[in-house]
Amino acid sequence: MKISIDGRSLDVAAGTLVAAAIELAAPGQGARVSPTGLRRLPLCGMGICGECRVTVDGRVHRLGCQTLCAAGMEIRTDA
Amino acid sequence: MLESDDNIELHARVVVVGAGPAGLAAATVASAAGLAVLLLDAAPVPGGQIWRARQGVAAEPVARAQARLASAGVRVLSGTRVVMALPGRVLLIDGPQGARRLRWNRLILATGARERLLPFPGWALPGVFGAGGLQALVKGGWPIRGRRVLVAGTGPLLLAAAATLRREGADVVGLAEEARAVALARFAGTLAAHPRKAMQALRLGASLLGVPWTSGTRVVAAEGAGRVERVVLEGEGGKTRTIACDALAAGWGLIPQTELAQSLGCALAPRFGASAIAVDAQQRTSVDGVLAVGECTGIAGAVAAQLQGEAAGRAVVDDLDFDGPANPTARSSRRLAREHAFAAAVAITFAPPADWAARLRDDTLVCRCEDVPWSALRDQPDLRSAKLATRCGMGHCQGRLCHDTLAAVMHWPRLPVRPPLGPAPLATLLAVLDNPPDPPSTKEQST
């Protein structure tokens, strides 16, 4: 299925987590920059740490590790 | 069967929070007896952690449970979190459909466990994951094929995580277990008395043939320029070595998730080396009408979780239908006691390290949400002061990571749980203020 990440189109398999799609699109870039400017990747994988927060279809602070990609989904890591 | 007075308010006689092995078992037993059950779960697909969906497809035991629940008319709300407990047996929940108030007569908490993720130098580098955390991400399509992964920390979960990673094509370059050889030898004696667990361990071991495995080994630091490139390990004799890798998957066992129970007023008690929701043989907590099952009552694995779920299901059937046995069967009690004996041995063998402060450096970030280093926290008198002075625990995780660490390292008492239980959109909270919940009727209170 087709999704978009920061405006760029990406094809992902059904059942792919948003956090995984971001890693597929831009390995090592992650979704979050910490208050002192450090790039982060997900840590806990189960909705605790919040390192995977992104904007999904205009809704801010969605957890990428708790959200499955859906066709046409628009994900922003730069919002 | 499910009453819904309007869009905003839902009601089910039995509400189960958490769709892992315990929650699924409780919902199955209660609904099979004809009770209206609503099951809610934060993940997009039911199963919890141990039965986590792979690439969105539910694990086989979950698919079977889902079929039974569907035929019993159970409503399953996935991707849905409890925001807070409201007065009068009402939860505020938030999910894909928006915020809802959910009224319950019996509440079964199956909120599971989270990984104990402890800070160490370099742990905030991209490429450091929880062991169960990376396992979960990989099941959701995180690319791991051909990547060099080191697995470290303590506990049986490390074996399971390593096995999953290897099956998905990772190059598992090592498994570093903190427990010492002498403790593991003692544990082998326990395993001999639990043939099924021994078989599981053997199967996992076989799937990890060729992976360098060491006991008595701990992570000193993860290092690299902007991402993990190598990990420094220290062995039993104090000798260090450096392993080149692309990722580190590290965890130190599990912690029961008790926040919702605490906000409801349920008493906690130490269980298998961690603070857990206190329950009796029928899985009842100290709060009337609230039961708890599975890992949130003590880390004891999926078999114990299912037995407890069934026991809680029977208890609510007895409460609300006035028939059916309230007590677990003798056989199920015996099986649970056996699982608990094993859990006690696991807790002793794979206990979290005691001297964690010695592993922190001044610049080690204890709080990842707000980037608070150890140097800013070490001289604080208590958690509240640390929070107010440094913002440690004020970020997204609400202290679930950093306050767990500080409570263990500094021996500080935990702060009381305050709503909301996690970050919630303001609109979600406003939904409650606009439509305050009706006071519960005396009839409902008495059921």
Side-chain angles (χ1 to χ4, degrees), chain B residues 162-178:
Chain B
T164 299
L165 297 172
R166 200 176 205 202
R167 193 172 60 236
E168 300 294 335
D171 175 11
V172 179
V173 295
L175 198 159
E177 165 61 57
E178 291 216 6

Side-chain angles (χ1 to χ4, degrees), chain B residues 192-287:
Chain B
H194 293 264
R196 279 189 194 191
K197 309 280 189 215
M199 278 309 294
Q200 274 174 13
L202 281 175
R203 269 198 298 273
L204 282 173
S207 72
L208 293 171
L209 275 180
V211 172
W213 181 90
T214 48
S215 61
T217 305
R218 66 182 184 90
V219 173
V220 175
E223 297 174 349
R227 65 179 181 86
V228 174
E229 292 169 355
R230 60 197 169 270
V231 172
V232 181
L233 297 174
E234 185 184 303
E236 245 171 278
K239 203 175 158 209
T240 62
R241 61 202 165 92
T242 302
I243 311 280
C245 58
D246 306 306
L248 169 63
W252 286 266
L254 302 173
I255 303 174
Q257 301 216 94
T258 59
E259 284 80 7
L260 174 55
Q262 286 172 270
S263 73
L264 287 158
C266 300
L268 304 184
R271 192 76 161 135
F272 310 129
S275 180
I277 307 170
V279 289
D280 67 12
Q282 295 182 0
Q283 302 304 132
R284 296 179 197 279
T285 70
S286 63
V287 174

Side-chain angles (χ1 to χ4, degrees), chain A residues 16-17 32 34 36 40 43 51, chain B residues 55 130 133 140 368-369 371:
Chain A
T16 302
L17 291 167
R32 179 170 181 257
S34 77
T36 62
R40 293 283 168 75
L43 174 72
E51 299 281 25
Chain B
Q55 206 74 39
R368 298 168 64 109
C369 294
D371 286 348

Side-chain angles (χ1 to χ4, degrees), chain A residues 13-17 19-20 23-24 32 34-36 38-51 53 63 66 68, chain B residues 42-44 49 52 55-56 81 113 124 126-130 133 136 140-143 147 257 365 368-369 371 396-397 400-401:
Chain A
T16 302
L17 291 167
E23 178 69 9
L24 288 165
R32 179 170 181 257
S34 77
T36 62
L38 303 168
R39 199 156 275 290
R40 293 283 168 75
L41 291 185
L43 174 72
C44 76
M46 56 173 288
I48 306 288
C49 71
E51 299 281 25
R53 275 171 289 163
L63 294 170
Q66 297 276 288
L68 291 177
Chain B
Q49 298 308 319
R52 174 175 274 272
Q55 206 74 39
R81 291 172 165 261
V128 176
F129 303 88
W142 186 277
R147 308 272 180 98
Q257 301 216 94
L365 296 179
R368 298 168 64 109
C369 294
D371 286 348
H396 183 277
C397 92
R400 279 174 172 78
L401 296 182

Side-chain angles (χ1 to χ4, degrees), chain A residues 5-65:
Chain A
I5 300 177
D6 296 332
R8 290 173 57 187
S9 181
L10 182 74
D11 236 329
V12 294
T16 302
L17 291 167
V18 166
I22 291 165
E23 178 69 9
L24 288 165
Q29 291 308 293
R32 179 170 181 257
V33 176
S34 77
T36 62
L38 303 168
R39 199 156 275 290
R40 293 283 168 75
L41 291 185
L43 174 72
C44 76
M46 56 173 288
I48 306 288
C49 71
E51 299 281 25
C52 62
R53 275 171 289 163
V54 286
T55 300
V56 175
D57 293 335
R59 296 176 74 190
V60 297
H61 296 308
R62 308 314 294 172
L63 294 170
C65 77

Side-chain angles (χ1 to χ4, degrees), chain A residues 14-15 68, chain B residues 45-46 51-60 62-63 66 139:
Chain A
L68 291 177
Chain B
V45 183
W51 288 345
R52 174 175 274 272
R54 184 168 175 273
Q55 206 74 39
V57 179
E60 199 262 332
V62 180
Q66 279 179 301
K139 286 184 178 178

